[in-house]
Amino acid sequence: MDVISAALPYLLEGLKVTLYIFVIAIILGFLIGLVVALLRLAPIKPLNWIAIAFIDAIRGTPFLVQLFFIYFGLNSLPFISLNSTTAGIVTVAINAGAYFAEIIRAGIQSIDKGQTEAARSLGLTGFQNMYYIVLPQAFRRMLPTITNQSIISLKDTSLLSVIGIADLTQQGEIQASATFEAFKIWLIVGIIYFIIIYLLTLLANVLERRFVLR
Amino acid sequence: MSIISVKNLKKSFGSNEVLKNINAEIKEREVVCVIGPSGSGKSTFLRCLNRLEEITGGHVMIDGKDITDPKININEVRQEVGMVFQQFNLFPHKTVLENITLAPIKVRSASKEEAREKAHELLKKVGLSEKAESYPGELSGGQKQRVAIARALAMNPKIMLFDEPTSALDPEMVGDVLEVMKQLAKEGMTMVVVTHEMGFAREVGDRVIFMDGGYIVEENEPNALFGNPQNERTKLFLSKVL
């Protein structure tokens, strides 16, 4: 037990880093997803192509390769210098953004065309229609899938430990090798991740009930 | 002077020409009913009047503005042209009151109080005062359609378009909706109504347009058109529906 109580403060320090990166990256990721989804659906072909290329590139490559590309690859260019935390946030945000884009696109397309026709026939602009009519309804339908992707992204942050970010997983490695108690340390790290993801699921359930469609 | 003027209107979906050459003049305060078999292009014709369908050829003038002109601000024109749909298309995430006040507040920049007052007035008119705080999902089809009419009227449109407004309703709901439309016609609203309700067309319409195969085949005042149709296709259609 004393092993755990000695390691726990370090692990919780790591958890703070994990949550910090996750929260910023997921918000950025959602905004990226929203923009890419709108580009994907825009009535202008080149914009569609840009969106499709972005989504395909991200979905077609492993997360770790994306991370290395951004942290090592971009940083090897003379005019770019990203610290590891920024590179980590950017990678998680871009990765989540591509998946969010497809979720949001499907959500928007699932809303009956009649909604848009009614809104436009009242004189609402395309933007007002999206903002007041389509997106609020689509968001409710997207929530379960958004929760799912957020959980995946949270777990992806554990890979950031390989570029030296002192997140929960990195702290786990340090504690495991310092204490020679790998079993206990990795068990407790797993439990911490589980609790955070469980809380995230509860939050999503609350949101889902609040936005319930009549 | 016509408030709606349609000249050589053509509309194709891909290679399928749905409207072939439509010419029509509709005067202010006139109630025009459009009838015809399904696939005749009558709904497409209606939807071209507020450019919900991109127009392939010809011109449509609404209150003096040519809406086929790419430079026209179509949103401004649509504010003057209310539309009621077969499937109601109420916003399910908004209350009845919010459905009605949304466009006046966001598009016409009305104050909330102003918009609400007007909405309550309109709900009273369509007989649904007690439903202001309900959600569309809690209403019957007939009630939904009356809310949809109130929603369109909240913009104070000069013209109202109705696209088969009673076709999705249970028979016992049809009367209430038609009653509201009759009232509207009496008050002098300019109305274009695509309908299968021949009784309504006969009683309320100033003029009836019969469409078939993408053309206006025949038009006349209701008693003449129903009582003494000239064209063979009109005769055939009426013999089936009357």
Side-chain angles (χ1 to χ4, degrees):
Chain A
M1 220 40 216
D2 46 335
V3 176
I4 292 170
S5 54
L8 205 55
Y10 296 99
L11 297 181
L12 292 180
E13 263 327 290
L15 176 63
K16 267 193 220 162
V17 174
T18 292
L19 289 179
Y20 168 76
I21 289 175
F22 170 70
V23 169
I24 296 180
I26 215 72
I27 292 169
L28 280 177
F30 189 79
L31 294 177
I32 292 171
L34 187 59
V35 170
V36 175
L38 293 176
L39 292 181
R40 175 80 182 74
L41 294 172
I44 301 164
K45 281 270 183 287
L47 295 182
N48 304 161
W49 297 332
I50 292 171
I52 292 169
F54 171 74
I55 293 165
D56 284 352
I58 298 300
R59 283 205 302 199
T61 52
F63 179 85
L64 210 48
V65 172
Q66 293 162 13
L67 179 64
F68 288 165
F69 177 76
I70 287 172
Y71 185 56
F72 298 119
L74 289 187
N75 266 345
S76 71
L77 301 175
F79 47 88
I80 287 184
S81 142
L82 299 169
N83 66 33
S84 57
T85 307
T86 311
I89 289 173
V90 168
T91 310
V92 176
I94 287 179
N95 183 273
Y99 290 97
F100 278 145
E102 282 298 87
I103 295 169
I104 294 168
R105 177 189 63 80
I108 290 173
Q109 285 182 325
S110 79
I111 302 302
D112 179 38
K113 266 206 173 116
Q115 293 288 305
T116 294
E117 289 182 352
R120 299 305 304 270
S121 79
L122 287 163
L124 269 73
T125 63
F127 177 81
Q128 287 174 323
N129 169 47
M130 266 296 154
Y131 189 77
Y132 295 112
I133 305 303
V134 177
L135 284 178
Q137 295 182 61
F139 185 63
R140 164 67 183 77
R141 289 191 194 173
M142 296 181 305
L143 254 178
T145 357
I146 287 176
T147 309
N148 214 21
Q149 181 53 46
S150 302
I151 288 170
I152 292 171
S153 290
L154 176 61
K155 291 193 283 194
D156 280 348
T157 61
S158 75
L159 290 166
L160 301 181
S161 61
V162 302
I163 59 166
I165 292 176
D167 74 329
L168 177 53
T169 302
Q170 171 90 318
Q171 293 289 2
E173 273 176 55
I174 294 168
Q175 292 307 312
S177 49
T179 61
F180 300 105
E181 292 276 12
F183 181 85
K184 286 182 189 165
I185 295 294
W186 287 117
L187 181 67
I188 196 82
V189 167
I191 290 171
I192 293 173
Y193 273 116
F194 180 84
I195 291 170
I196 297 304
I197 287 169
Y198 189 72
L199 291 176
L200 202 60
T201 313
L202 287 184
L203 175 72
N205 288 344
V206 171
L207 283 179
E208 248 174 81
R209 272 198 295 275
R210 267 198 61 180
F211 287 105
V212 74
L213 274 192
R214 314 285 141 156
Chain B
M1 202 208 50
S2 308
I3 192 164
I4 302 175
S5 171
V6 180
K7 291 200 176 74
N8 306 111
L9 170 63
K10 290 188 174 73
K11 167 67 189 173
S12 303
F13 293 101
S15 61
N16 180 21
E17 192 169 52
V18 182
L19 297 179
K20 285 170 179 144
N21 190 13
I22 303 285
N23 289 284
E25 300 288 328
I26 294 166
K27 291 192 288 289
E28 220 167 320
R29 303 175 75 86
E30 202 178 8
V31 177
V32 174
C33 293
V34 184
I35 63 170
S38 59
S40 59
K42 54 194 191 303
S43 280
T44 307
F45 166 61
L46 193 77
R47 291 160 57 85
C48 283
L49 298 183
N50 64 353
R51 230 177 74 189
L52 272 191
E53 300 291 352
E54 275 310 317
I55 293 164
T56 314
H59 294 276
V60 176
M61 310 280 291
I62 300 292
D63 200 17
K65 293 191 187 108
D66 186 349
I67 63 169
T68 56
D69 180 352
K71 283 186 298 240
I72 200 108
N73 182 345
I74 191 66
N75 296 322
E76 268 172 28
V77 178
R78 283 173 177 159
Q79 292 171 30
E80 310 300 334
V81 184
M83 187 164 204
V84 174
F85 300 84
Q86 183 176 355
Q87 296 298 338
F88 329 126
N89 297 343
L90 294 180
F91 308 132
H93 60 305
K94 297 193 172 294
T95 64
V96 164
L97 199 68
E98 290 165 345
N99 263 276
I100 300 173
T101 57
L102 177 80
I105 292 171
K106 300 301 175 192
V107 180
R108 287 237 196 261
S109 313
S111 74
K112 267 192 179 165
E113 295 70 43
E114 221 180 314
R116 281 204 189 124
E117 200 177 312
K118 170 97 183 163
H120 282 297
E121 213 175 280
L122 287 167
L123 280 174
K124 196 169 163 202
K125 183 169 172 173
V126 300
L128 292 171
S129 288
E130 73 286 6
K131 297 291 185 189
E133 299 305 327
S134 301
Y135 281 85
E138 299 160 1
L139 305 180
S140 73
Q143 291 171 333
K144 281 182 199 168
Q145 196 59 301
R146 284 183 281 155
V147 171
I149 294 173
R151 179 176 67 178
L153 289 175
M155 292 295 284
N156 283 324
K158 292 181 178 153
I159 300 165
M160 283 284 283
L161 308 177
F162 294 84
D163 189 2
E164 303 195 24
T166 58
S167 296
L169 299 179
D170 290 337
E172 73 268 27
M173 307 281 181
V174 171
D176 293 338
V177 171
L178 291 183
E179 207 44 57
V180 170
M181 291 169 62
K182 262 183 225 173
Q183 183 60 35
L184 208 51
K186 251 187 232 161
E187 291 166 13
M189 176 64 75
T190 308
M191 294 163 63
V192 184
V193 187
V194 171
T195 186
H196 294 294
E197 295 291 332
M198 299 303 152
F200 176 85
R202 193 164 204 157
E203 186 188 338
V204 185
D206 296 311
R207 185 151 52 106
V208 177
I209 291 177
F210 172 70
M211 285 184 68
D212 193 16
Y215 294 101
I216 292 179
V217 173
E218 188 167 351
E219 58 182 304
N220 213 330
E221 55 97 14
N223 283 331
L225 190 123
F226 287 115
N228 185 18
Q230 299 301 307
N231 190 290
E232 283 308 315
R233 280 192 281 175
T234 319
K235 282 179 195 166
L236 186 67
F237 175 74
L238 291 177
S239 72
K240 283 181 189 158
V241 297
L242 288 182

